[in-house]
Amino acid sequence: MNNKILIIPGTNTLEKVTNSYFLFPLKDFSIGYEKKFTLEEIPNHSYIYINRLLDHEDILKFQTLLPLIQEKVKGIVFEDLGILEILRENKIQVETIFYPSHAICSSYTVNSYLEEMDTVILSNDITKEEIQEILTKASKPIGMLIYGHLPYMYSRRTLLTNYEKNFNLPIQKVKKIKEPISKQEFLVFEDEKGTILYDPCVYENRYFLSASNISYFLIDLNMIEIKNVKKFLEEWLKNESKNNTTSGFLNRKTIYRLPPKGGKND
């Protein structure tokens, strides 16, 4: 695989791999990560990740970081479009990578955003056939997640704490829960900024490792215990999928419209 890789390191050893860059969740501007980083902590020419939707105070705080961002940051992966506007208004020259968790699911959406960004990262809610179609129609290279826990839902509320206080349970910030009707399990991670629900199994997408028109492969090692990132990646690229992994929605038919009760769509 010769494509460039963005690696969210989690709590693992920071040892780079050929064609790879570390993507650091930015402290106060990211949610759902065991380890977050200040701009002072990261090496020069790094990428930073901002996956929170920002309010007015957050935007003002982000603006104070612009001089250091211009000095140290190679690129920003972001979910809030306000980030793009701030960078433009202040003429900050960094690579812009848009990654809204569930909003980029068609070639029309991809190409619309590619007119404004350097690249985008596809949402993880579509099939491999839909991804392949998007890759063939994308006006320039785009990215995709190939390894990590799939994020299902994000809330600004402290859902775990609220639940545990209501039922007089011990306060836990990371917990596995099961939805009683579907029996679907979720890995819940809460911090001071809110709550994210992940798939408890690790998502693997080897299908597109040799695909063309790719800007970045994203590897998210959050909540995955790995002693050495370089060794892990070298071995993972050679080996088959392991137990307790998932292919996510790659092989699940996309539902565009729910059928009427007791019936089927045409």
Side-chain angles (χ1 to χ4, degrees):
M1 181 178 68
N2 296 319
N3 297 90
K4 291 183 286 187
I5 307 170
L6 290 175
I7 302 174
I8 300 177
T11 58
N12 306 290
T13 304
L14 301 180
E15 185 176 357
K16 289 191 68 174
V17 185
T18 303
N19 291 332
S20 75
Y21 303 90
F22 281 114
L23 173 59
F24 297 99
L26 185 61
K27 183 176 171 57
D28 298 325
F29 296 91
S30 58
I31 182 173
Y33 285 90
E34 291 180 294
K35 188 171 183 179
K36 303 172 188 177
F37 300 81
T38 65
L39 287 175
E40 291 78 10
E41 291 177 298
I42 68 173
N44 289 343
H45 308 296
S46 294
Y47 287 77
I48 58 173
Y49 187 27
I50 297 174
N51 69 334
R52 286 185 58 224
L53 298 178
L54 308 181
D55 58 24
H56 179 66
E57 291 184 1
D58 294 325
I59 292 291
L60 295 178
K61 186 173 182 178
F62 180 75
Q63 289 177 317
T64 67
L65 302 178
L66 292 179
L68 198 52
I69 287 174
Q70 180 74 85
E71 177 185 337
K72 299 191 69 173
V73 172
K74 180 177 177 64
I76 302 179
V77 179
F78 60 94
E79 183 155 356
D80 193 316
L81 288 171
I83 296 295
L84 181 66
E85 294 304 314
I86 294 171
L87 296 175
R88 284 178 170 173
E89 290 171 3
N90 292 274
K91 297 180 172 58
I92 302 298
Q93 299 299 313
V94 297
E95 188 176 352
T96 52
I97 305 172
F98 189 41
Y99 183 24
S101 299
H102 306 288
I104 298 186
C105 299
S106 75
S107 59
Y108 300 103
T109 308
V110 164
N111 287 328
S112 294
Y113 283 124
L114 286 178
E115 294 178 4
E116 309 294 333
M117 330 284 182
D118 291 308
T119 189
V120 301
I121 296 179
L122 287 178
S123 300
N124 307 302
D125 310 328
I126 52 180
T127 67
K128 61 177 182 288
E129 290 80 14
E130 290 165 329
I131 294 173
Q132 186 62 60
E133 181 180 359
I134 291 170
L135 288 175
T136 59
K137 294 181 178 180
S139 59
K140 55 186 178 182
I142 57 178
M144 67 176 68
L145 177 72
I146 60 168
Y147 191 89
H149 291 284
L150 289 178
Y152 284 145
M153 190 196 82
Y154 156 48
S155 173
R156 290 175 180 268
R157 293 174 290 178
T158 53
L159 299 178
L160 269 183
T161 298
N162 295 347
Y163 177 84
E164 289 158 349
K165 284 183 177 180
N166 184 70
F167 291 99
N168 197 28
L169 299 171
I171 301 298
Q172 296 177 281
K173 297 300 183 181
V174 181
K175 189 173 187 177
K176 188 181 290 187
I177 65 172
K178 180 181 288 188
E179 197 281 316
I181 297 176
S182 66
K183 310 300 181 184
Q184 171 70 47
E185 289 189 327
F186 298 95
L187 179 61
V188 187
F189 185 99
E190 177 189 292
D191 60 24
E192 69 280 1
K193 299 298 183 181
T195 310
I196 288 188
L197 272 65
Y198 293 100
D199 193 311
C201 297
V202 175
Y203 171 72
E204 289 193 324
N205 178 0
R206 298 171 183 272
Y207 188 84
F208 289 97
L209 287 179
S210 300
S212 57
N213 211 23
I214 299 290
S215 56
Y216 294 102
F217 285 125
L218 176 61
I219 292 178
D220 188 347
L221 300 179
N222 182 44
M223 293 186 289
I224 301 174
E225 191 172 336
I226 293 170
K227 292 183 179 180
N228 184 287
V229 173
K230 182 177 181 180
K231 183 177 180 181
F232 155 76
L233 187 56
E234 290 172 348
E235 292 180 352
W236 182 76
L237 291 172
K238 296 176 183 177
N239 298 333
E240 295 298 322
S241 300
K242 299 179 180 179
N243 293 332
N244 201 35
T245 61
T246 177
S247 60
F249 295 92
L250 289 177
N251 301 303
R252 299 187 199 177
K253 183 178 179 181
T254 299
I255 299 174
Y256 294 99
R257 184 179 63 179
L258 290 174
K261 189 174 182 179
K264 296 181 179 180
N265 286 330
D266 295 333

